[in-house]
Each structure stands twice: as C-alpha cells, then as structure tokens.
Amino acid sequence: MAADSFNFDRFKFALPPGLVNGLLFFAVVVFGSSYIIFSKLHDFGALAVTSVPVLIMIGYAVLLGARLFRLRDDQSGDNLYYMGFLFTLTSLAVSLYQFSAAGSAEQIVQNFGIAIASTIAGITLRIMFNQMRRDPVETEAASRLELAEASRRVKRELESSILEF
C-alpha cells in the first residue's frame, strides 16, 4: 500500500501527494526544533545539542533517499536546506532568549557555532541531493534511443512476417 493512502473497509481515503511530504517535513522540523529548545534550556552539552539535529537531518535524508516518498531530488535538497536553516534559527532564538547582560561573549560564540552546524549539514545534504538529480534531457535522450531501437525491431519483425506470408 502506498504511503499516501489508507484503506478503511468500505472506503479508501487518499491524501494529496504533496500533503504527505509536507506533513513529514513539518513533523521532522517540529521534532528537531523541540529537541533543540529542550536541550538548550536544560543545559545539554554542545556535542549533544549539535549532533542530534544533524543526525535527524541525515535520517530524513536517508528516508528520502530510500524513495519511500515521492519527492524529486531537487525538492529533497531544498527541504534539507530549509530544515538546517530552521534549526539554526531555532538555536539562535533560544540563545537570544537565554542571553543576559551577565552572559559572556564566549557563550554567544559557542551558541552560534552550535547553530551554524545544522546550516552546514543542510547545505551539504542539499548539494548531495542536487548532484544525484536525474537530468531530464539525458532521460529523454535515452528514452528516444530505446524507442527508436524498439521501433526498428518491430519493423524487422513485421517485414519478416510479411515475407513469410
């Protein structure tokens, strides 16, 4: 059964194709942002605050790369880029919330370093997905060659059938 339809006994409920992808993206962003907020407010270590959102993004990329959801590679790359940017903004917002006049400049720089890691991961994953993208012109050219070859084979078969009759 496809990931975007549900089969209830008497009726079938199908979600629009883009809605499932959008809901998945939104759910992952909410989960990652919630983790960032929770971890920063509870003084988790820098490694934990940084690595978990990056691992969430990598997990999302693997899910998209497995083709369980119908999403073009360029859209997947854009989603990962925006996810990294949203994680960065979330991290910076929490850092500004935690900032006080007594806070040191070191803490701000460290929080910015943590935030920028998710943007770097997003850009890296976007580049990776865009490099994997299939070029429509190459696909069309290969299809034309295959159709031409198939047409020649059918023509030969028809000619030999005519000769046999």
Side-chain angles (χ1 to χ4, degrees):
M1 181 178 359
D4 58 353
S5 64
F6 301 96
N7 190 5
F8 297 103
D9 289 333
R10 290 196 169 124
F11 60 94
K12 185 175 182 181
F13 176 69
L15 296 172
L19 183 61
V20 172
N21 295 326
L23 289 174
L24 174 67
F25 173 76
F26 183 70
V28 173
V29 167
V30 167
F31 177 72
S33 295
S34 298
Y35 174 80
I36 292 168
I37 293 167
F38 181 81
S39 64
K40 283 189 165 239
L41 292 178
H42 289 87
D43 295 324
F44 285 23
L47 183 63
V49 175
T50 306
S51 61
V52 171
V54 171
L55 289 173
I56 289 170
M57 293 174 65
I58 291 171
Y60 179 73
V62 168
L63 187 65
L64 293 178
R67 305 277 184 218
L68 298 175
F69 296 90
R70 292 180 300 193
L71 198 61
R72 293 188 331 255
D73 289 335
D74 60 325
Q75 287 177 318
S76 298
D78 288 346
N79 282 1
L80 289 159
Y81 173 75
Y82 293 130
M83 184 180 295
F85 188 62
L86 288 169
F87 288 171
T88 297
L89 292 177
T90 301
S91 182
L92 291 175
V94 174
S95 295
L96 288 174
Y97 173 76
Q98 291 177 319
F99 180 71
S100 65
S104 69
E106 279 182 27
Q107 185 180 15
I108 296 297
V109 171
Q110 181 184 13
N111 285 335
F112 185 74
I114 293 168
I116 203 74
S118 58
T119 298
I120 293 169
I123 290 171
T124 302
L125 291 168
R126 180 180 191 211
I127 291 168
M128 185 181 78
F129 269 86
N130 283 344
Q131 294 301 319
M132 293 183 340
R133 184 178 69 190
R134 291 174 221 82
D135 184 18
V137 174
E138 289 176 11
T139 304
E140 180 184 358
S143 297
R144 287 180 184 267
L145 289 174
E146 288 177 19
L147 283 172
E149 179 58 32
S151 172
R152 282 191 284 275
R153 284 193 310 261
V154 167
K155 182 179 177 183
R156 276 183 267 161
E157 287 292 322
L158 283 173
E159 287 173 349
S160 67
S161 296
I162 289 171
L163 287 175
E164 286 181 19
F165 282 123

